Amino acid sequence: MKRAVVIGATGQIGRPAVHALAGDGWQVTATSRGGGRDASWPEDVRAVRLDREDDAALAAVIGDGCDLVVDMVAYGARHARQLTALADRIGSAVVISTVSVYEDGKGRNFDTMADPGGHPEYPVPIPESQPTVAAGDATYSTRKAALEHELLAAGVRLPTTLLRAGAVHGPYSPIPRELYFVKRNLDGRGRRVLAFGGQSRFHGASARNIAELVRLAAARPGPRVLNACDPEALTVAEMGAAVDAVMGVRTETVLLDGPPPSPSVGRSPWSAERPVVCDMSAAARELGYRPVVGYAESLPETVAWLERRLEEQDWREAFPTLAGVYPDLFDYAAEDAWFGALGA
């Protein structure tokens, strides 16, 4: 039986990835800081505590060798070198990257979005050949670019499939963008505001679809970069309607032609002036990828998970990463004042 080691196994993508690999006949060692396990995993999945910053601990988990390492939490050149240093003991790797490494023809990227005129204008859809940001340590995007650079340089010495994930959605997300709609519905907010006419598109990626890509890449090792997204790139208005349908509510959506009038009004976690849509043809061609779930089909479990979390904690405590990025996500007083001024 082929042996796989999954780093970051109890995270959003790790849980379904372990399940997919185990179902495909892999003997899986699932590592995480806490050493926990998911209820969906077969009993023969081995759960192990691992601090991935500990080089010796990682080497011990790899042991005399494994056929596959799947790394959900690798960032930067250091983590890439951790893996390449063990290349003689690893058959192949699958590593999660991000679409935020892309830049447009004018050097604009995710890191420049907040600058005047800094929003990138990507081709629709974005192919894997699109230029990327310079490798470095300054930002999430540049660190992921450095990770990619180091792993691709290893070539066949450690054949690695890099999966550039879009806006990942599903249970256990540290940045659950769907909360924007779910919490408003639970709070009885009958009206909401969406900037850019509700037409913003930031290509989503179900954790289950990424897990399927992991499974396919594990069976066909090779040095490559592939986009990892859903079959469709819905608009933010379409996603809101899909959440409403799952929750059985009716809402009024006010659409603004331009950008949000303030950080507290009309700004959703998908709000973008121009679309970010990825080309998935290479994954289909190279791996035979077919998505296992569509956005609407994936939503019920996401909504149910979010509702449970909100019953247990305030949203800021439940999702501190999201609150740090979007502190004004639920400023209802500002929304009401805006509606009042609009009515006046």
Side-chain angles (χ1 to χ4, degrees):
M1 183 179 289
K2 295 177 295 183
R3 178 172 175 250
V5 172
V6 178
I7 304 172
T10 56
Q12 181 183 16
I13 305 171
R15 291 171 187 263
V18 169
H19 179 79
L21 289 170
D24 217 25
W26 289 84
Q27 180 185 16
V28 182
T29 299
T31 75
S32 64
R33 287 182 180 176
R37 57 187 303 117
D38 189 84
S40 72
W41 297 348
E43 290 185 2
D44 60 356
V45 170
R46 177 175 171 242
V48 176
R49 291 178 183 269
L50 174 68
D51 178 359
R52 75 92 30 78
E53 300 299 334
D54 186 335
D55 295 354
L58 177 60
V61 169
I62 301 298
D64 293 334
C66 64
D67 300 284
L68 172 71
V69 168
V70 182
D71 198 337
M72 307 295 173
V73 292
Y75 297 102
R78 168 174 147 66
H79 288 167
R81 291 167 188 158
Q82 271 188 318
L83 299 178
T84 57
L86 300 169
D88 60 337
R89 289 191 263 166
I90 300 171
S92 68
V94 181
V95 177
I96 304 301
S97 187
T98 172
V99 300
S100 75
V101 298
Y102 289 124
E103 69 177 15
D104 69 7
K106 296 182 178 180
R108 297 172 298 191
N109 51 66
F110 277 59
D111 295 334
T112 67
M113 280 187 175
D115 301 337
H119 198 289
E121 187 171 358
Y122 296 121
V124 178
I126 306 170
E128 288 86 349
S129 58
Q130 181 71 16
T132 60
V133 299
D137 294 324
T139 69
Y140 173 80
S141 300
T142 61
R143 291 179 69 196
K144 283 290 193 180
L147 172 77
E148 290 191 1
H149 178 78
E150 291 284 340
L151 291 173
L152 291 174
V156 295
R157 187 165 64 90
L158 179 59
T160 301
T161 297
L162 287 152
L163 297 176
R164 289 175 177 163
V168 184
H169 59 89
Y172 302 100
S173 172
I175 306 180
R177 294 171 176 84
E178 283 71 20
L179 188 72
Y180 181 82
F181 297 117
V182 172
K183 178 171 167 53
R184 277 178 164 74
N185 288 344
L186 292 174
D187 291 342
R189 301 290 293 182
R191 290 189 297 181
R192 59 189 177 221
V193 187
L194 294 176
F196 303 113
Q199 295 304 299
S200 297
R201 288 196 295 166
F202 181 8
H203 208 155
S206 166
R208 289 167 59 188
N209 284 334
I210 299 175
E212 173 66 0
L213 281 162
V214 169
R215 183 187 74 84
L216 293 169
R220 301 183 185 182
R224 60 170 76 93
V225 177
L226 295 173
N227 290 329
C229 293
D230 288 342
E232 69 282 295
L234 300 180
T235 67
V236 62
E238 290 170 334
M239 288 188 283
V243 172
D244 289 353
V246 170
M247 300 183 72
V249 301
R250 296 173 63 90
T251 59
E252 175 191 356
T253 301
V254 178
L255 302 177
L256 303 179
D257 289 335
S262 79
S264 304
V265 179
R267 182 188 179 216
S268 79
W270 300 273
S271 292
E273 183 180 350
R274 300 187 179 100
V276 180
V277 179
C278 292
D279 186 349
M280 290 303 299
S281 61
R285 182 175 62 253
E286 296 193 25
L287 300 180
Y289 168 65
R290 297 291 182 274
V292 297
V293 67
Y295 184 78
E297 184 184 358
S298 74
L299 269 179
E301 66 174 348
T302 302
V303 171
W305 176 73
L306 288 171
E307 289 177 335
R308 289 195 300 271
R309 292 299 304 273
L310 291 175
E311 288 175 357
E312 299 166 356
Q313 291 177 293
D314 176 79
W315 78 276
R316 295 178 185 84
E317 297 174 350
F319 308 111
T321 303
L322 181 72
V325 178
Y326 301 102
D328 303 311
L329 206 56
F330 303 106
D331 189 346
Y332 296 153
E335 286 184 357
D336 291 340
W338 185 84
F339 277 121
L342 188 67

